[in-house]
Amino acid sequence: NVELSLVLRTLARSGQFLLCGDSNQIVHPNFFAWSAVKSLFWRDAGALTPASGSDLSVLEVNYRNSRAVTAVANALLKVKHVRFGSIDRESNHLVRAAAEEEGAVTTLPDDPKVLAELDQKTRASAQFAVVVLRDEHKAEARRVFRTPLLFSIHKAKGLEYENVILFQIASSERAAYREICEGVTEADLAVDELRYRRPRDKDDKSLEVYKFYVNALYVALTRAVKNVYLIERDLEHPLLGLLDVRPARDASAVSAKASSVEEW
């Protein structure tokens, strides 16, 4: 709130600003909460009142991702909701894909031949990026992929590529992602909207413990405009089953062409 108050007081025209945020994309340790933001305006309404009033609108349309990517991202939000309850009222919703592109979310085995084919197809294309969970996972990914477009979740946030390869996200933290799925069934996810539901036990801090892992995967998935390819050693991980991603035996369906110097 101190940062927001400072920035808003530097405005050339007081009250003319737009604040955007998404509680589902918090991957850096911070204290962001919509309730805290709203409290700031209630306490200091004279200096910080928006020009058009203090209305808060929820964007329920996804303008970036294909239908398949949006569906899997929504499935992850459902898992998060069932397991941990609602974060806040503003973030308690699924999104609708505005794109007509169907796209695909596919799992591929951690097989040397598959990885070699995938690398050969994508290393010269600026339309493919590789994303790992943490910076320390980059070294393993670099032994497989020669593309310079290799990012950890923290560095990938805010970026978008037509195709994204998620390398060992769940497999690198099997126990954490298994705990996120604990007690969640496919029947629990057969809903079209999220009902506002706070955790029964207010002392349960499970969401704080596992927030990075579930939010990081959400950010990683939604970097892709069209297709996501998940490379996992553990293809039987329960999270992949709950997300209902399509399995493939090889990379034959992956299509890529070399990008021009201008595109790079």
Side-chain angles (χ1 to χ4, degrees), residues 37-132:
V37 173
K38 288 185 287 187
S39 296
L40 171 66
F41 296 110
W42 290 333
R43 286 199 306 267
D44 200 357
L48 304 175
T49 301
S52 60
S54 56
D55 294 337
L56 189 149
S57 300
V58 176
L59 179 63
E60 297 184 353
V61 179
N62 182 332
Y63 291 97
R64 170 189 288 152
N65 309 120
S66 65
R67 294 179 181 275
V69 173
T70 302
V72 174
N74 278 341
L76 181 60
L77 293 184
K78 293 177 187 179
V79 171
K80 183 179 183 180
H81 182 263
V82 172
R83 179 66 175 80
F84 304 112
S86 302
I87 310 169
D88 50 48
R89 292 187 183 277
E90 291 79 12
S91 305
N92 196 60
H93 66 278
L94 304 175
V95 293
R96 173 175 54 83
E100 296 183 358
E101 182 75 59
E102 184 60 34
V105 180
T106 309
T107 57
L108 292 168
D110 183 16
D111 177 88
K113 292 183 178 180
V114 174
L115 297 180
E117 180 182 1
L118 193 58
D119 172 56
Q120 183 63 36
K121 287 184 174 181
T122 63
R123 66 187 181 89
S125 174
Q127 302 301 318
F128 281 79
V130 178
V131 177
V132 297

Side-chain angles (χ1 to χ4, degrees), residues 72 105-107 221 230 239-247:
V72 174
V105 180
T106 309
T107 57
L221 287 166
L230 294 96
L239 180 61
L240 299 178
L242 289 173
L243 297 183
D244 193 27
V245 292
R246 186 177 66 186

Side-chain angles (χ1 to χ4, degrees), residues 21 26 45 52 54 61 75 79 85 92 109 118 127-128 131 146-147 155 165 194 203 206 218 222-223 237 239:
I26 297 174
S52 60
S54 56
V61 179
V79 171
N92 196 60
L118 193 58
Q127 302 301 318
F128 281 79
V131 177
R146 287 172 284 180
T147 176
K155 300 296 175 61
I165 299 169
L194 304 180
D203 293 327
S206 297
Y218 184 80
T222 54
R223 297 314 90 199
H237 196 286
L239 180 61

